């Protein structure tokens, strides 16, 4: 199913913040090793995918990148370090229908800089995930996520956006603990604690895990629903045989006037939702 990015673009930001980010749902749901800054840097790059040259190279104004990442323009070496980390961590793996079918590689192949411009090369193998989108796409503006400090907030936001169902007032998305641990890149030994009378049982501490990952992300997204273009409602614990299986997250989209998504309003000319970009707008 498709998703929509609501137009929450402020007028006092640089051009990159106002550009639409569009990516295939497969990529939106893919776990990466990027931190929050590196994620935002990658999104700044792919927001300019339409302006790439015939070698899949994208050029960005260095001043715009520094503004987005809140890097001092006089310390260009810091920007280089961030770009190198983003490039090094852009490795992704995609599984096929059998163990013998797979596709691995780096999304970003190289980067270069002059006094005013950054150029970033994208791997041609994965370009279809960014431009040949058909109906299975996720879209949002860089400004929707630019204020997030936690990587988990960015990850949860883009993943929820990829599951948004425009036919309902709210969307429910259930995540198992295994899915969330993979999304948030939790290691095998993370949040494992000793329990029992003699501390002889080692179990996963779901309470602490939720408090430090999911709760932080939900709080940050809900801190400014209009800016994020999303409002998360109830987060219900789902149990199986007395144990926590996962969580059911209720969410909806919010427009720049603070109105929640209403599927019926799509068809009312007298009260349309303002300037909601669709995939057709993007591909023009």
């Amino acid at each position: 199913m498709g998703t929509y990015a609501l137009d929450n673009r402020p007028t006092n930001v640089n051009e990159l913040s106002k550009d639409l980010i569009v990516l295939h749902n497969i990529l939106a749901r893919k776990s990466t090793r990027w931190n929050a800054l590196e994620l935002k840097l990658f999104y700044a790059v792919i927001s300019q995918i339409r302006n790439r040259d015939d070698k899949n190279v994208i050029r960005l104004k260095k001043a715009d990148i520094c503004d987005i990442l809140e890097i001092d323009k006089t310390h260009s070496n810091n920007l280089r370090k961030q770009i190198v980390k983003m490039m090094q961590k852009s490795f992704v793996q995609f599984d096929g229908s059998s163990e013998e079918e797979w596709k691995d590689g780096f999304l970003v192949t190289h980067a270069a800089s002059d006094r005013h411009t950054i150029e970033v090369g994208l791997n041609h193998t994965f370009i279809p995930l960014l431009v040949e989108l058909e109906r299975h796409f996720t879209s949002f503006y860089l400004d929707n996520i630019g204020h997030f400090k936690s990587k988990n907030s960015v990850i949860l936001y883009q993943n929820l956006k990829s599951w948004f169902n425009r036919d309902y007032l709210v969307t429910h998305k259930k995540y198992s603990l295994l899915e969330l641990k993979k999304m948030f890149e939790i290691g095998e030994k993370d949040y494992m604690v000793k329990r029992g009378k003699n501390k002889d049982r080692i179990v996963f501490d779901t309470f602490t895990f939720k408090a430090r990952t999911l709760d932080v992300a939900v709080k940050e997204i809900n801190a400014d629903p209009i800016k994020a273009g999303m409002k998360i409602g109830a987060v219900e614990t789902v149990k199986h045989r007395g144990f926590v299986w996962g969580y059911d997250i209720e969410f909806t989209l919010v427009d720049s006037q603070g109105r929640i998504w209403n599927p019926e309003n799509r068809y009312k000319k007298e009260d349309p939702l303002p300037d909601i970009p669709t995939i057709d707008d993007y591909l023009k």
Side-chain angles (χ1 to χ4, degrees):
M1 69 186 65
T3 62
Y4 286 79
L6 298 177
D7 194 353
N8 302 317
R9 299 174 289 179
T11 57
N12 60 344
V13 296
N14 65 48
E15 290 303 311
L16 280 179
S17 293
K18 296 185 289 182
D19 278 323
L20 185 65
I21 298 166
V22 184
L23 61 160
H24 198 287
N25 284 343
I26 292 175
L27 191 54
R29 298 167 189 166
K30 178 62 63 175
S31 176
T32 66
R33 294 186 298 146
W34 288 316
N35 62 26
L37 282 178
E38 292 153 6
L39 268 172
K40 286 187 277 188
L41 178 56
F42 177 71
Y43 287 147
V45 172
I46 63 173
S47 73
Q48 302 300 305
I49 190 74
R50 288 168 292 176
N51 300 322
R52 73 191 188 283
D53 63 19
D54 57 356
K55 295 182 180 179
N56 294 316
V57 172
I58 293 172
R59 292 171 178 81
L60 306 164
K61 293 180 181 178
K62 189 178 291 186
D64 286 348
I65 292 294
C66 288
D67 285 342
I68 291 170
L69 299 182
E70 299 180 350
I71 293 176
D72 189 337
K73 297 180 179 63
T74 61
H75 296 118
S76 59
N77 195 46
N78 291 338
L79 177 58
R80 183 179 187 180
K81 289 179 180 178
Q82 290 292 341
I83 292 174
V84 168
K85 288 180 181 179
M86 182 268 292
M87 182 169 52
Q88 291 173 334
K89 296 179 183 179
S90 70
F91 182 76
V92 290
Q93 294 181 293
F94 297 95
D95 297 327
S97 57
S98 70
E99 292 184 358
E100 295 183 356
E101 298 176 273
W102 47 268
K103 183 178 292 185
D104 299 346
F106 288 88
L107 295 171
V108 180
T109 59
H110 71 277
S113 170
D114 58 27
R115 290 187 62 186
H116 305 292
T117 307
I118 297 289
E119 72 170 42
V120 178
L122 297 177
N123 189 331
H124 69 90
T125 301
F126 301 114
I127 288 294
L129 293 177
L130 301 175
V131 295
E132 295 175 14
L133 301 163
E134 300 175 344
R135 293 183 303 153
H136 307 283
F137 70 99
T138 298
S139 60
F140 50 89
Y141 292 106
L142 186 59
D143 192 63
N144 293 145
I145 63 170
H147 59 294
F148 294 160
K149 300 300 182 183
S150 169
K151 173 187 176 180
N152 292 336
S153 303
V154 181
I155 291 173
L156 181 64
Y157 178 91
Q158 70 179 33
N159 198 285
L160 287 175
K161 206 72 183 291
S162 75
W163 291 106
F164 176 67
N165 190 329
R166 60 181 180 173
D167 294 327
Y168 297 92
L169 286 171
V170 296
T171 298
H172 284 264
K173 172 56 184 168
K174 288 184 180 180
Y175 293 101
S176 69
L177 277 178
L178 290 176
E179 288 177 305
L180 289 174
K181 288 164 71 174
K182 185 175 181 180
M183 274 175 52
F184 296 145
E185 296 184 304
I186 305 302
E188 291 184 5
K189 297 183 179 180
D190 294 340
Y191 299 104
M192 300 302 292
V193 295
K194 294 181 179 181
R195 293 280 170 79
K197 186 176 181 179
N198 299 316
K199 303 292 184 180
D200 55 352
R201 290 191 301 117
I202 299 178
V203 298
F204 183 74
D205 186 350
T206 55
F207 179 84
T208 304
F209 163 75
K210 179 175 179 290
R212 294 181 180 178
T213 56
L214 186 58
D215 288 350
V216 170
V218 170
K219 182 178 180 180
E220 195 162 35
I221 292 170
N222 282 343
D224 194 341
I226 294 178
K227 190 175 183 65
M230 178 184 290
K231 172 66 176 179
I232 296 178
V235 178
E236 300 288 346
T237 301
V238 180
K239 292 188 176 182
H240 178 67
R241 295 181 179 177
F243 294 95
V244 175
W245 175 87
Y247 302 95
D248 184 350
I249 301 177
E250 174 191 279
F251 71 100
T252 190
L253 301 190
V254 180
D255 72 9
S256 57
Q257 298 179 39
R259 297 178 298 179
I260 66 170
W261 170 259
N262 186 337
E264 294 183 0
N265 281 352
R266 291 177 297 169
Y267 308 111
K268 294 180 180 179
K269 294 182 180 179
E270 67 272 19
D271 186 26
L273 287 171
D275 303 325
I276 301 177
T278 68
I279 192 61
D280 295 326
D281 299 322
Y282 178 80
L283 296 177
K284 286 180 179 178

